[in-house]
Amino acid sequence: MEKENVYYATGKRKTAIARTWLTPGKGEIIINNRPMEKYFSLESAKLILTQPLVLTNNLESYDIKVKVIGGGTSGQVGAIRHGITKALIQIDPDLRQSLKRAGFVKRDPRVKERKKYGQKGARARFQFSKR
């Protein structure tokens, strides 16, 4: 691979981190050395993952290689989508406006709230007993 034709970006969502590499190709998506269809069984996950490519008409223009760690399915899909979006902006800065309007550029800051001491969970309390 030539360095000038490889675009790298890191995407994050919840506790998942996705390192994405885009190279000119025919639209192959490899996640953790497995095809996308084998890695994500949910059809909705595949749709979310390809949203930035469909929006910019680049679905069959680039081969995508992803290394993703942490989180669950939802977090990993969001992290990969974020990484693909950032890499597409590196390739063509003019795409930023349409990707930003769709809400793909900004990292989703929502994470699980921590459990507090003296409580059952983040917000849940132990049941109060009068006697």
Side-chain angles (χ1 to χ4, degrees):
M1 283 195 286
E2 295 176 24
K3 288 214 181 219
E4 59 202 42
N5 287 337
V6 178
Y7 300 93
Y8 169 79
T10 304
K12 293 181 180 182
R13 168 89 164 86
K14 293 186 179 181
T15 57
I17 301 168
R19 298 180 297 157
T20 53
W21 291 269
L22 267 69
T23 54
K26 52 189 182 290
E28 230 175 63
I29 301 175
I30 306 293
I31 302 165
N32 289 351
N33 296 321
R34 282 192 267 169
M36 176 180 64
E37 292 77 24
K38 293 241 195 278
Y39 195 79
F40 292 119
S41 57
L42 292 172
E43 199 60 41
S44 60
K46 297 169 195 168
L47 288 171
I48 291 168
L49 192 128
T50 56
Q51 279 177 332
L53 298 166
V54 171
L55 184 72
T56 58
N57 298 321
N58 287 320
L59 191 57
E60 295 177 3
S61 304
Y62 297 100
D63 285 340
I64 301 168
K65 187 176 183 229
V66 182
K67 294 279 186 190
V68 65
I69 55 167
T73 306
S74 169
Q76 287 188 353
V77 168
I80 293 169
R81 182 176 78 174
H82 189 231
I84 290 171
T85 301
K86 286 169 67 175
L88 283 170
I89 292 170
Q90 278 184 11
I91 293 167
D92 185 7
D94 297 333
L95 298 174
R96 183 178 174 85
Q97 194 64 33
S98 61
L99 289 167
K100 188 171 182 174
R101 211 173 300 121
F104 302 150
V105 176
K106 188 178 180 200
R107 181 207 191 281
D108 192 346
R110 297 175 296 170
V111 291
K112 186 175 179 180
E113 193 174 334
R114 78 175 202 84
K115 180 194 172 299
K116 278 77 170 191
Y117 57 88
Q119 295 181 17
K120 199 172 186 177
R123 306 263 171 119
R125 310 289 196 265
F126 290 112
Q127 189 170 348
F128 175 73
S129 172
K130 197 176 238 184
R131 284 175 203 57

